[in-house]
């Protein structure tokens, strides 16, 4: 009924920038928090950045000062601007959102399919 679709991943040299986008679609009643996670090979999925419906943000220490999360509530879209990328940022990046579907009384978490980000040294 609802889905999250990411875009914007790719290959970039160290020091470069990428901007990820994630659009929510379907029978959405409301979207609460949204966020970006990443998972590198052999490692657990970790939170990169989160943003509430009101715009409050939080970041992993490893990306503070380099990444910026934002959202456009009119487009049901969350963004992740990634600057000064490092090889250790290489991972599959996943969008996540806590959403309430129309006709349902409660919200739950949804995941996107993931987009690969590769940073070469």
């Amino acid at each position: 009924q609802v889905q999250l679709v990411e875009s914007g991943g790719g290959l970039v040299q160290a020091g470069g920038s990428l901007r990820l986008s994630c659009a929510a679609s379907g029978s959405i009643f409301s979207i609460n928090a949204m966020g970006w996670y990443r998972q590198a090979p052999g490692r657990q999925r970790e939170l990169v950045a989160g943003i509430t419906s009101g715009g409050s943000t939080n970041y992993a220490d490893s990306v503070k000062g380099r990444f910026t999360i934002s959202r456009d509530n009119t487009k049901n879209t969350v963004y992740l601007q990634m600057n000064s990328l490092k090889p250790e940022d290489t991972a599959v990046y996943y969008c996540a959102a806590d959403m309430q579907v129309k006709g349902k009384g409660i919200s739950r978490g949804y995941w996107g399919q993931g987009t690969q980000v590769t940073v070469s040294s």
Side-chain angles (χ1 to χ4, degrees):
Q1 285 184 313
V2 297
Q3 61 176 349
L4 297 169
V5 178
E6 300 113 331
S7 61
L11 173 64
V12 64
Q13 288 188 333
S17 298
L18 282 174
R19 188 191 194 209
L20 304 182
S21 299
C22 172
S25 62
S27 300
I28 300 169
F29 177 75
S30 64
I31 304 177
N32 301 314
M34 304 184 82
W36 289 94
Y37 290 73
R38 67 186 180 187
Q39 187 167 20
R43 302 189 66 176
Q44 290 189 330
R45 191 173 298 188
E46 63 175 358
L47 175 67
V48 175
I51 185 167
T52 68
S53 57
S56 297
T57 60
N58 65 290
Y59 297 92
D61 288 342
S62 60
V63 306
K64 282 181 181 177
R66 300 188 297 122
F67 291 9
T68 302
I69 189 171
S70 61
R71 64 191 284 174
D72 184 338
N73 292 330
T74 65
K75 297 180 180 179
N76 290 339
T77 299
V78 63
Y79 306 96
L80 186 67
Q81 178 66 44
M82 304 185 293
N83 299 329
S84 302
L85 282 161
K86 305 175 181 179
E88 51 263 44
D89 294 317
T90 295
V92 177
Y93 283 69
Y94 296 91
C95 172
D98 181 61
M99 298 190 288
Q100 184 175 346
V101 175
K102 292 178 181 177
K104 301 290 186 181
I106 60 173
S107 65
R108 72 170 184 87
Y110 292 83
W111 291 93
Q113 80 285 357
T115 186
Q116 178 70 45
V117 171
T118 302
V119 184
S120 62
S121 58

